[in-house]
Amino acid sequence: MENLVLACQPCNNLKLNYLAAGEHLARWTERAAAKSVLERLALSLTWESHPRRTSSVARSLYLRLPGDVLRWLDRDRSVPVTTEGARIRSALKALPA
């Protein structure tokens, strides 16, 4: 469930101060809904995981953002929350309660 994603250093630095845009959030919630290879590996290594807590944190952060807050989309683009409200709510519904 945790968001383990490979990213090049320049991209990682560009997104450092932003939450991910709805597109990335949707992919993350899809991975969270299915038992991913990373999750199976984490279980085999007895890596601690708290899916419900992680879901609660994601909902708290995304659903309370002011409309003008920008989120990271890709290397050189950010998008305001107001343009993605429906996509965010839909993605968050897929998370464990």
Side-chain angles (χ1 to χ4, degrees):
M1 167 104 197
E2 283 72 19
N3 192 21
L4 302 174
V5 179
L6 290 175
C8 67
Q9 190 62 43
C11 288
N12 205 35
N13 287 339
L14 287 169
K15 67 183 181 77
L16 186 64
N17 295 318
Y18 298 97
L19 286 174
E23 178 181 323
H24 303 298
L25 178 65
R27 281 197 305 267
W28 176 70
T29 58
E30 288 170 11
R31 284 194 315 269
K35 295 287 184 192
S36 70
V37 172
L38 285 174
E39 186 174 1
R40 289 192 299 272
L41 176 61
L43 287 172
S44 73
L45 298 170
T46 62
W47 185 350
E48 191 173 343
S49 179
H50 301 280
R52 289 177 198 262
R53 288 181 189 172
T54 305
S55 297
S56 293
V57 169
R59 283 189 190 95
S60 293
L61 289 170
Y62 278 92
L63 295 177
R64 289 174 174 78
L65 290 174
D68 60 343
V69 171
L70 294 176
R71 285 176 316 177
W72 185 80
L73 180 60
D74 61 28
R75 189 178 254 299
D76 297 318
R77 292 186 300 161
S78 299
V79 292
V81 171
T82 53
T83 63
E84 298 191 304
R87 184 175 210 169
I88 290 168
R89 287 187 298 279
S90 175
L92 292 173
K93 285 180 185 177
L95 291 173

